[in-house]
Each structure stands twice: as C-alpha cells, then as structure tokens.
Amino acid sequence: MLGNLAHGLVERFFLLPDALHLGDAAFAAWFGPAFEGIVAEEGATLLMPGRRSDLESFRLQLRHALEQLRHQLGRAGVVKVVAEMELDGQFAGGELAGYADLVLTRADGAQAVVDMKWAGSKFVDVLKENRHLQLAIYAELLRQKSGAWPQVGYFVLNRGQ
C-alpha cells in the first residue's frame, strides 16, 4: 500500500504545471493537503486507531523522498517529467506495452526512464549485474519512439535515493 500511495503522490506532483520550478515553501504548502488527500482516498488503513506512528513515519519518508527527487532532478538539468508514461512497441514476439514510472528529459533532449520502488537496497546490484529487465524493456520502447537510448535508473522512495 505504501508504494502505491507514494507512486500516486509523485504522479500528482508532476501533474502540477510548475512542478520543476516550485520553491521549497510552495512545495511544503502543496505537500500537506496532497498527502492528506491521497491517504484519505486510498490509504484509509493508515487512519485507523493505533496506526498514527505508521502514518507519520510514512509522511516524513515520503516528504523527504520528494524533496530529494526535486533537488536531484534540478541538479541533473531535467526540464520535463512525465509520470506513468504509456509506452508501447514491438519485440520479436509481438507487441509490448507498459507504463514507465517517470520519464525525464533534459534541455539537451537526453532522456531517462526511472522506476520507483518504495523500499529495497538491491537495486544498485540489479543495475550492476544487468538484471534490470523491466527498465531495459521500457528503455527499448522509449528508444523506438525517440530514436535514442535513454539512461535508466531506480529511485528508492523510503530512502530518498
């Protein structure tokens, strides 16, 4: 559930027209009501008696993750983010389709596909050992559309990395 809530909130954030240029105060003003809204809509179990510490821990982790993601995208020169981008294309076995968590574009046109995970420490090894099949498929589908290979990566939300 936490992963679904986190994905949903990140998607909502990047639907804001000025998401990449939002200042820290404006982000803080947006985050509180947006977090409360998504929890009320999709995470009611976090509002049950005895779950307050889980709710507050999740709130802090997710806010930290979004703050880190915003800053990392700014440092990388990202000018466009599309959340839950639908990708489709051809493979030898037929047609494939899916939704990439985040597709990032820099001013120079370079792109990256980022898969968000709520938790885990194995994803650095997955990349090093060439076991990132889902990301590779999304990269190929995006390459079929754009003509250039995107970079790929994971963003682990509960760690903000």
Side-chain angles (χ1 to χ4, degrees):
M1 175 184 66
L2 298 182
N4 290 338
L5 291 170
H7 273 78
L9 194 65
V10 171
E11 183 177 355
R12 289 179 187 193
F13 177 70
F14 286 114
L15 287 175
L16 297 173
D18 59 347
L20 290 172
H21 306 290
L22 211 58
D24 291 341
F27 171 76
W30 172 85
F31 182 84
F35 179 85
E36 296 296 331
I38 201 162
V39 168
E41 293 167 19
E42 301 176 31
T45 58
L46 289 172
L47 301 174
M48 294 174 62
R51 299 292 307 270
R52 181 66 182 219
S53 66
D54 296 331
L55 175 66
E56 293 309 318
S57 175
F58 178 56
R59 180 192 317 267
L60 290 172
Q61 287 177 313
L62 187 51
R63 182 174 173 161
H64 173 74
L66 263 171
E67 288 171 343
Q68 291 302 308
L69 184 59
R70 290 174 54 237
H71 294 300
Q72 288 178 26
L73 296 180
R75 286 191 301 270
V78 171
V79 296
K80 181 179 177 185
V81 177
V82 179
E84 293 300 315
M85 178 185 266
E86 184 175 9
L87 296 170
D88 56 49
Q90 298 293 318
F91 272 76
E95 294 181 19
L96 282 177
Y99 293 87
D101 289 345
L102 299 174
V103 175
L104 315 175
T105 306
R106 291 191 324 214
D108 64 4
Q111 292 186 301
V113 177
V114 176
D115 191 27
M116 294 185 295
K117 301 295 186 189
W118 173 247
S121 58
K122 65 182 179 184
F123 298 107
V124 171
D125 292 335
V126 168
L127 287 170
K128 284 181 183 176
E129 297 167 7
N130 256 352
R131 294 185 290 122
H132 53 285
L133 182 60
Q134 180 183 13
L135 276 172
I137 290 170
Y138 288 152
E140 168 58 15
L141 295 175
L142 188 57
R143 184 203 62 78
Q144 288 177 20
K145 290 190 178 311
S146 70
W149 277 101
Q151 296 293 313
V152 296
Y154 291 104
F155 188 78
V156 181
L157 290 156
N158 77 334
R159 298 170 61 187
Q161 300 176 336

